[in-house]
Each structure stands twice: as C-alpha cells, then as structure tokens.
Amino acid sequence: MQYALLVTGSPYQTKACHSALKFLKAALLNPQHTPIGVFFYEEAVLIGNALSQPPRDEFDLRKEWAELAKAHHIPLYLCIAASVRRGIVNETESKRYELSQHSLAEGFQLEGLGTLVELMNTTSKLIQFR
C-alpha cells in the first residue's frame, strides 16, 4: 500500500512531528507499506529550519527526520508559503527576497500545495498528524 503523511502540528508545541516519525519508522518495517512522501504544512514547517538548534541533551527531531528520509529515499516537503512566512527559505527564495542567507535544513525541500494534491491523488491513503 502506498501512502503519504501530512504533518500540521508544530514540532515545539505538539507531538505531531514526533508521532509521525514514530509511525513512519514502524511502517517501514512492513515491506507492504510504501511511503512516497511527507508534507509539512502550517506550523509543522518549523521542522525544516536549519537555524533552530535543540539543546545538546535533547532529541534532535529535524536530524532524525532527515536521516530517516535519506536512508529510505522519502522526500520531505515543506509548504513554501507557510515556510517563507516563518523565515524558512532555500537559496532560490533567499535570492528572490534579497536575503543574505538561506535557512532551509538539509534533506527538506520547499514545494507548493500542488505537491500535496499530487500526493493525495497518487496514494492509497493520506495520514494526517496534527
């Protein structure tokens, strides 16, 4: 079964990003499950901010997402509108807005809502974490 994840809860105010990560790790143990992407929307896009740094003695949620996605070739999409609104930009958007640096974490990519619609139309299930 192919599926996609939609994460909308803040990584700092809710357990949505934690729960989605745990779910994905468990689902990957079953070869019948094929995740084709994770779309972060609303406050969840904060997970892709390279400039936020957790204390050294805390779990690095962003790093865990990036490593899992890289190991299993799962794209991690951040809603571009929600990201730019929160100061998360890639090199292209940084130049567009004449900023001196970019803040998109490695392993994440900015995409529009069309990507979410495509995920919804090409999978068996869309599972949301709020």
Side-chain angles (χ1 to χ4, degrees):
M1 170 178 51
Q2 288 189 330
Y3 61 91
L5 303 182
L6 171 61
V7 185
T8 57
S10 168
Y12 309 114
Q13 310 255 332
T14 72
K15 290 291 184 187
C17 290
H18 290 84
S19 297
L21 181 66
K22 285 183 179 182
F23 173 86
L24 188 56
K25 284 180 177 181
L28 287 168
L29 296 174
N30 185 339
Q32 293 179 334
H33 293 278
T34 307
I36 64 164
V38 181
F39 195 90
F40 296 90
Y41 188 53
E42 297 173 348
E43 292 295 316
V45 299
L46 293 171
I47 193 73
N49 184 350
L51 301 178
S52 65
Q53 298 298 315
R56 293 177 192 231
D57 62 339
E58 287 186 15
F59 181 72
D60 190 342
L61 188 58
R62 180 184 62 245
K63 180 181 170 190
E64 289 292 321
W65 269 108
E67 287 177 356
L68 182 68
K70 185 177 182 179
H72 296 280
H73 309 288
I74 302 167
L76 301 176
Y77 304 112
L78 300 183
C79 173
I80 190 168
S83 296
V84 170
R85 185 177 299 118
R86 291 164 179 85
I88 302 167
V89 292
N90 60 10
E91 284 189 60
T92 303
E93 294 301 309
S94 177
K95 289 176 186 172
R96 179 178 171 201
Y97 291 103
E98 299 176 3
L99 302 171
S100 60
Q101 64 184 17
H102 60 88
S103 57
L104 181 66
E106 188 177 332
F108 294 86
Q109 58 192 42
L110 299 180
E111 292 287 335
L113 288 176
T115 299
L116 175 59
V117 172
E118 185 178 331
L119 287 172
M120 292 167 56
N121 288 333
T122 58
T123 60
S124 304
K125 291 187 183 235
L126 178 71
I127 304 164
Q128 183 176 4
F129 294 84
R130 298 194 250 178

